[in-house]
Amino acid sequence: MRNRNIDKILLSVEKPARYIGNEYNAVHKNLASVEVRFAFAFPDVYDIGMSHLGIRILYDILNKRDDTFCERVFAPWVDMEQQMRRHEIPLFALESGDNIADFDMLGFTLQYEMSYTNVLNMLDLAGIPIWSKERTNRHPFVLAGGPCAYNPEPLADIIDFFLIGDGEEAINEIVDCYKTWKYSGDTDRQNFLKHVASIEGVYVPSLYEVSYNDDGTINAITPKIDSLPHIIRKRVVTNLSSAAYPERPIVPYIDIVHDRAVLEIFRGCTRGCRFCQAGMVYRPIRERSADRLVELADKLVRATGYSEMSLSSLSTGDYSQLEQLVKILLEKFQEEKVALSLPSLRLDSIDKSLLERIQSVKKTGLTFAPEAATQRLRDVINKGITDDDILRTVEYAFQQGWQSVKLYFMIGLPTETDDDLYGIAEMARRILDVYYSIPKDQRGRHIDITVSTSSFVPKPFTPFQWDPQDKIDRLSYKQHLLQQQLRMKHVTYHWSDNRLSFMEAVFARGDRRLGRVLAAALANGCRFDAWTDYFNYDGWLKAFEQCSINPEFYAGRVRSYDEVLPWDHINAGVSKDFLIRERERALKGKTTFDCRRACIKCGIERWEGVCDNANAGTL
Amino acid sequence: MRMLVRFSKENDLRFISHLDMVHAMERALRRADIPMAYSKGFSPHAKISFSAPTPLGIPSSAEYMDVHLVKPLSAQIFVQRLNNALPNDMRVLEAMEIDDDVPGVLGKATIGCYTIQPYEGVQWISQSHINVLMNMNDIIMEKRTKKGLKEINIRPCIKELILMQDGQHITAKLLLPSVGGINPDILLKAFNIYTDVRIDVEDMAIHKDDILLEDGRVLLPE
């Protein structure tokens, strides 16, 4: 039961509905009849966390079990945290209002590095020691998964165990393993951790020893027990059509970031953009069948009452039956007045007559992410889009009356020169020219081009994992140059905070020595770091100083191919050989084709029965 | 045809805003497969109007909506279907079929009826406190408006103030803020200023029971 004190403070915080739970389709269970209480945590505010699909999938799977009750918990917003600390209210679960510290398991999803301080803060608010070695049987086991778990090391001393890869199947095995341990009468937490480490995809960092070289690089990462694997292989769900999918998703009361029904059409991506971690670690590509998607779409609309549905994937246009699926859904939804959204859609990938009926296109206008403005640099990053693709599509769009174009680029990519930056302004200029070349009576009355740049962050398991990030000064110079170059009528330029990208780069490729920095940063007041208003750079710098750690060691250093990387004991599917090969091709400006044409031997082809495209086709 | 509907928003749902409640109701109507009429155009919207907002934190059985339907539906079936699709803390209390040409009644509500009681063991209002307030000609209070704090005389906003026989509950009839009136928190603060009782608004359970037309009639006649 929720504490009456909570009700009292709710009226003094922003959006109190973030903390009440009880949404339509939220699950409630009789506590007397459940054996395992699982709290699923998203280390950011409710509005962000509830927009995330993974939490909904695992919530559904766990709650289908009669023996388990899975609840949700999010990071209380700053105002709520203040009230909770003042009134000594510990972190509580949304469904029951019970204290998180009393749960059996607490699972975090790690979607971005800059949420790590929130993980620590949530543990602290729950009254759970932040260091795993200080936890006792009075505390839950703390686990974590999600894309950032591919380099689990910065949180190695904080999280009891990680799940690497897809969670749909492994989560059940973990709960089964926990029950077996709990009922065995064994009270040694270490014994459970040893058991759970035998599940494929599970990594228990405290059971691995890291040794270092004199220069601070890693010498070796070795298991402390002989029976443990030297390399932890990620979990892969091979058949998405038969995998569990939440058919009755929770419908939040407040307006969350993605307030619509979400249909995941496929997982993985075959394009092989060299900067993209998701494109590498979610391999291989696995589609849900169109039949299953149509069936799900119907159920989702009925169970939620949403008037918008979005198709979700890394690159919507690559779904093999997209046109057919969109046609069926548009027809089906016409009467029910459900709008269809297709984010990350390449406009060249769909029939133009369907385009006009798509909600996301109507609402946000045209969006392109060429990432780099010159063909040379696009070849380096293997982004297979040409100037012509873009110009042809905007011409068509302007003729149809569209008036706004958004362009997304990265700055600081390997091999980038000033010419590549001038290219960004050049592209904006050429798009403007296209607009003006259309007769006045055949185009919209306004034109509005938005250029946004983010600063490149090298990520683990990408061909650029050995590359340094540009120094802050260098990135700021580039942004300054762009500000000048983009001083054009009808063009707006947005850029990102380089200090934030720097911190992201440190933790993306960090090792377990950084755990102390996280604790120090939290003590210095850092949290909600991904929110520009709350990002406290001084707090971070001070934390590095307090721990005598140089952040440049992680972000700004060239690593050699033979250096032991902090994530070398994780097998994400793509092999190191492949990543080296891709990096070498990148430096030569050589592209690699989409692997549905022919297998490019990324490494996952060696896993039996996992990839449909494995070893297929010829070069 | 249209359906005039009275519904409640109780317990935890007192913490959701009016706009969030509107969205929740629209989704429930869709789940219930109610044949709503939609506006024409680029992004069609369901044709529904709602009564003026209840302030955040006050549970209510005084929410009203006027829904346009494209197919006739009996009030009984409407209530049954919608209640099956609503969250537990939102309930349809009554509904009435009305013709398209009948003018809307939601905007004509001017009086809010509230029940106020202390949660537990705090100093509480007695009949003499009520008499003090009700015998004043002017009760000047600060009211927060869009332009900042403003001094207003709330005495004309208080239509009725009764201490129930149990000595615990107060029922109040107040002019609604949508027509220049006040919410019950200002009334409670007036007790603090003009009488010798000291009450904390946070310790009070306030419930909005109904809204009435200017002449005191209910919106949905029996």
Side-chain angles (χ1 to χ4, degrees):
Chain A
M1 267 298 280
R2 200 167 71 211
N3 192 320
R4 246 278 296 153
N5 286 332
I6 298 171
D7 285 10
K8 273 190 163 183
I9 61 176
L10 281 181
L11 283 175
S12 57
V13 300
E14 196 187 310
K15 297 193 192 173
R18 284 169 172 163
Y19 313 104
I20 60 174
N22 252 321
E23 307 93 322
Y24 194 74
N25 290 338
V27 176
H28 294 277
K29 291 195 176 185
N30 178 1
L31 296 179
S33 69
V34 298
E35 299 166 71
V36 179
R37 294 194 64 184
F38 195 108
F40 200 110
F42 193 104
D44 209 316
V45 73
Y46 176 95
D47 326 21
I48 307 286
M50 279 306 291
S51 302
H52 178 243
L53 181 62
I55 184 171
R56 292 165 176 270
I57 292 178
L58 295 177
Y59 181 83
D60 178 63
I61 290 175
L62 286 171
N63 280 324
K64 277 192 181 127
R65 297 173 66 115
D66 289 334
D67 60 357
T68 304
F69 183 18
C70 175
E71 305 185 43
R72 295 159 297 148
V73 59
F74 301 92
W77 190 240
V78 236
D79 57 351
M80 184 66 171
E81 181 191 339
Q82 207 176 15
Q83 295 284 351
M84 287 168 70
R85 290 197 187 271
R86 181 182 304 156
H87 294 92
E88 295 179 352
I89 297 167
L91 191 69
F92 57 94
L94 282 190
E95 278 74 2
S96 64
D98 289 341
N99 293 349
I100 293 297
D102 298 333
F103 278 62
D104 295 287
M105 307 194 126
L106 170 59
F108 284 94
T109 177
L110 307 172
Q111 296 293 313
Y112 28 89
E113 292 81 3
M114 298 320 283
S115 66
Y116 290 174
T117 51
N118 280 5
V119 172
L120 275 68
N121 197 32
M122 286 172 78
L123 290 171
D124 185 57
L125 271 169
I128 299 169
I130 62 167
W131 305 112
S132 53
K133 62 170 189 263
E134 288 172 17
R135 284 175 211 135
T136 68
N137 284 343
R138 289 182 294 112
H139 303 115
F141 283 102
V142 180
L143 62 148
C148 291
Y150 283 96
N151 176 19
E153 289 305 290
L155 293 172
D157 292 334
I158 290 149
I159 302 294
D160 293 324
F161 64 98
F162 290 89
L163 169 60
I164 319 285
D166 296 325
E168 279 102 330
E169 293 159 358
I171 197 75
N172 278 326
E173 296 164 26
I174 289 168
V175 170
D176 289 340
C177 177
Y178 174 76
K179 269 178 66 182
T180 308
W181 173 77
K182 186 176 167 182
Y183 292 125
S184 72
D186 190 345
T187 51
D188 188 348
R189 282 172 80 87
Q190 284 304 311
N191 285 337
F192 167 71
L193 291 174
K194 284 174 200 161
H195 287 308
V196 82
S198 66
I199 294 174
E200 191 176 52
V202 169
Y203 167 54
V204 181
S206 60
L207 297 180
Y208 289 75
E209 182 86 55
V210 182
S211 59
Y212 300 94
N213 300 314
D214 289 343
D215 63 0
T217 57
I218 292 170
N219 176 260
I221 305 164
T222 40
K224 291 176 183 170
I225 303 168
D226 287 344
S227 60
L228 288 175
H230 284 257
I231 305 282
I232 295 98
R233 190 170 124 157
K234 76 163 175 185
R235 285 300 286 263
V236 181
V237 169
T238 47
N239 185 340
L240 274 201
S241 294
S242 63
Y245 197 84
E247 295 178 355
R248 299 188 59 80
I250 291 172
V251 186
Y253 287 113
I254 60 171
D255 200 7
I256 60 168
V257 176
H258 297 300
D259 209 3
R260 53 186 91 101
V262 178
L263 208 49
E264 186 198 32
I265 56 176
F266 66 89
R267 208 172 284 177
C269 181
T270 53
R271 297 207 164 244
C273 298
R274 290 174 181 137
F275 57 84
C276 179
Q277 188 190 36
M280 297 291 164
V281 300
Y282 289 123
R283 282 166 182 256
I285 195 163
R286 289 147 290 158
E287 295 194 345
R288 272 200 175 81
S289 70
D291 287 346
R292 170 74 174 138
L293 289 171
V294 171
E295 178 204 334
L296 275 175
D298 199 61
K299 286 182 173 168
L300 287 175
V301 167
R302 270 170 215 293
T304 62
Y306 271 124
S307 55
E308 188 177 342
M309 173 170 292
S310 80
L311 304 186
S312 151
S313 69
L314 290 171
S315 170
T316 310
D318 287 340
Y319 183 65
S320 61
Q321 301 171 71
L322 184 67
E323 202 145 316
Q324 190 199 349
L325 176 69
V326 168
K327 257 186 208 158
I328 296 174
L329 291 181
L330 283 172
E331 204 151 299
K332 201 176 180 57
F333 289 158
Q334 185 145 30
E335 194 159 328
E336 290 163 293
K337 302 276 188 297
V338 178
L340 194 62
S341 273
L342 281 74
S344 40
L345 174 68
R346 297 161 67 111
L347 293 168
D348 51 350
S349 61
I350 192 161
D351 188 81
K352 303 275 192 285
S353 65
L354 292 177
L355 202 59
E356 291 154 32
R357 294 164 64 192
I358 293 167
Q359 179 74 10
S360 45
V361 180
K362 284 196 296 193
K363 260 195 210 159
T364 55
L366 293 178
T367 305
F368 296 94
E371 310 295 359
T374 61
Q375 194 59 50
R376 184 201 68 79
L377 191 52
R378 279 199 300 267
D379 288 347
V380 169
I381 63 175
N382 205 40
K383 183 87 191 182
I385 184 172
T386 65
D387 287 357
D388 265 8
D389 292 338
I390 296 170
L391 295 174
R392 259 203 327 261
T393 315
V394 293
E395 182 175 19
Y396 168 80
F398 288 150
Q399 285 165 345
Q400 299 301 308
W402 265 291
Q403 309 192 100
S404 91
V405 180
K406 286 188 188 138
L407 296 166
Y408 292 93
F409 297 96
M410 267 184 225
I411 57 168
L413 285 164
T415 79
E416 183 189 59
T417 66
D418 284 2
D419 284 345
D420 299 301
L421 303 171
Y422 290 120
I424 291 176
E426 181 58 25
M427 186 175 285
R429 212 169 292 128
R430 286 172 74 185
I431 291 174
L432 275 177
D433 287 346
V434 170
Y435 173 79
Y436 287 117
S437 70
I438 300 167
K440 265 192 174 160
D441 55 340
Q442 289 166 37
R443 66 182 196 215
R445 285 172 54 189
H446 302 283
I447 172 74
D448 172 23
I449 299 175
T450 311
V451 174
S452 304
T453 62
S454 62
S455 301
F456 174 61
V457 177
K459 295 273 166 126
F461 297 107
T462 67
F464 297 142
Q465 64 179 354
W466 295 277
D467 285 274
Q469 184 187 44
D470 264 359
K471 301 272 186 292
I472 288 184
D473 289 354
R474 183 86 192 123
L475 291 168
S476 300
Y477 156 78
K478 291 177 178 180
Q479 289 170 340
H480 190 69
L481 187 145
L482 283 172
Q483 285 168 49
Q484 290 180 326
Q485 287 294 312
L486 289 165
R487 218 167 269 159
M488 298 179 217
K489 230 179 163 181
H490 310 297
V491 177
T492 321
Y493 175 45
H494 296 297
W495 59 94
S496 55
D497 187 338
N498 296 320
R499 302 166 311 169
L500 192 65
S501 310
F502 175 41
M503 287 299 110
E504 196 185 327
V506 171
F507 287 96
R509 294 184 299 162
D511 57 38
R512 53 175 70 183
R513 289 171 292 192
L514 291 180
R516 281 164 53 228
V517 179
L518 289 171
L522 181 68
N524 295 343
C526 297
R527 63 208 59 179
F528 286 107
D529 304 291
W531 298 74
T532 12
D533 289 354
Y534 291 94
F535 178 60
N536 171 3
Y537 188 51
D538 292 338
W540 279 105
L541 290 187
K542 195 174 146 199
F544 280 102
E545 214 170 281
Q546 288 162 334
C547 300
S548 305
I549 286 177
N550 177 11
E552 287 291 351
F553 176 80
Y554 298 99
R557 186 168 55 89
V558 184
R559 305 186 194 205
S560 72
Y561 288 147
D562 49 17
E563 179 176 333
V564 177
L565 301 170
W567 52 93
D568 269 355
H569 55 310
I570 305 293
N571 182 348
V574 288
S575 66
K576 211 173 209 180
D577 286 348
F578 167 71
L579 296 176
I580 292 174
R581 212 158 64 225
E582 278 296 294
R583 183 165 180 277
E584 292 300 321
R585 289 179 74 89
L587 296 181
K588 292 187 189 110
K590 279 190 186 163
T591 58
T592 298
F593 47 78
D594 189 315
C595 70
R596 277 175 305 183
R597 238 178 78 194
C599 176
I600 57 169
K601 311 274 190 233
C602 69
I604 203 130
E605 81 284 354
R606 296 174 300 185
W607 297 11
E608 191 118 357
V610 164
C611 179
D612 291 340
N613 303 323
N615 303 311
T618 46
L619 299 186
Chain B
M1 65 172 284
R2 281 150 51 202
M3 197 69 75
L4 182 60
V5 186
R6 178 185 176 196
F7 63 98
S8 64
K9 173 196 176 209
E10 306 280 2
N11 303 320
D12 275 356
L13 291 197
R14 71 185 186 276
F15 294 116
I16 70 168
S17 70
H18 181 71
L19 189 63
D20 292 337
M21 180 201 77
V22 167
H23 290 152
M25 179 54 86
E26 283 174 355
R27 285 169 189 156
L29 285 160
R30 297 169 61 91
R31 290 192 294 262
D33 230 346
I34 301 294
M36 287 182 286
Y38 284 87
S39 65
K40 302 266 181 294
F42 212 46
S43 38
H45 286 281
K47 287 181 167 176
I48 317 176
S49 33
F50 287 85
S51 50
T54 297
L56 206 67
I58 298 186
S60 158
S61 52
E63 305 299 315
Y64 288 83
M65 65 175 175
D66 190 335
V67 193
H68 287 249
L69 303 178
V70 285
K71 273 186 243 161
L73 196 65
S74 79
Q76 196 198 347
I77 294 195
F78 179 95
V79 174
Q80 197 183 7
R81 281 205 342 222
L82 187 51
N83 269 337
N84 283 332
L86 276 168
N88 287 335
D89 287 335
M90 275 170 93
R91 292 288 98 192
V92 178
L93 304 172
E94 341 164 39
M96 186 175 78
E97 302 151 46
I98 46 177
D99 288 333
D100 280 334
D101 51 6
V102 176
V105 73
L106 301 188
K108 293 179 187 153
T110 60
I111 298 166
C113 311
Y114 305 89
T115 306
I116 305 165
Q117 60 176 315
Y119 274 116
E120 61 216 28
V122 290
Q123 192 194 356
W124 183 232
I125 296 161
S126 68
Q127 190 59 47
S128 62
H129 298 124
I130 290 178
N131 293 344
V132 171
L133 272 200
M134 294 306 274
N135 289 332
M136 289 171 70
N137 286 327
D138 298 308
I139 307 174
I140 305 300
M141 290 293 295
E142 282 187 331
K143 184 184 171 184
R144 199 173 292 279
T145 67
K146 276 173 195 153
K147 287 178 192 156
L149 287 177
K150 202 177 93 178
E151 291 210 324
I152 63 158
N153 175 15
I154 67 160
R155 180 61 190 86
C157 304
I158 307 171
K159 299 294 177 198
E160 192 182 288
L161 198 54
I162 297 171
L163 181 65
M164 304 304 279
Q165 288 211 320
D166 61 4
Q168 287 295 301
H169 296 71
I170 281 182
T171 59
K173 287 184 180 167
L174 306 173
L175 205 60
L176 287 166
S178 52
V179 287
I182 55 166
N183 283 320
D185 57 327
I186 298 192
L187 171 70
L188 292 172
K189 284 176 195 155
F191 276 104
N192 282 338
I193 294 177
Y194 296 103
T195 76
D196 59 7
V197 74
R198 290 292 167 268
I199 45 182
D200 190 344
V201 179
E202 282 183 12
D203 289 329
M204 298 299 130
I206 303 171
H207 188 269
K208 188 177 183 184
D209 302 325
D210 205 353
I211 50 176
L212 306 174
L213 301 172
E214 195 172 4
D215 57 10
R217 279 185 301 133
V218 292
L219 274 65
L220 265 167
E222 290 294 322

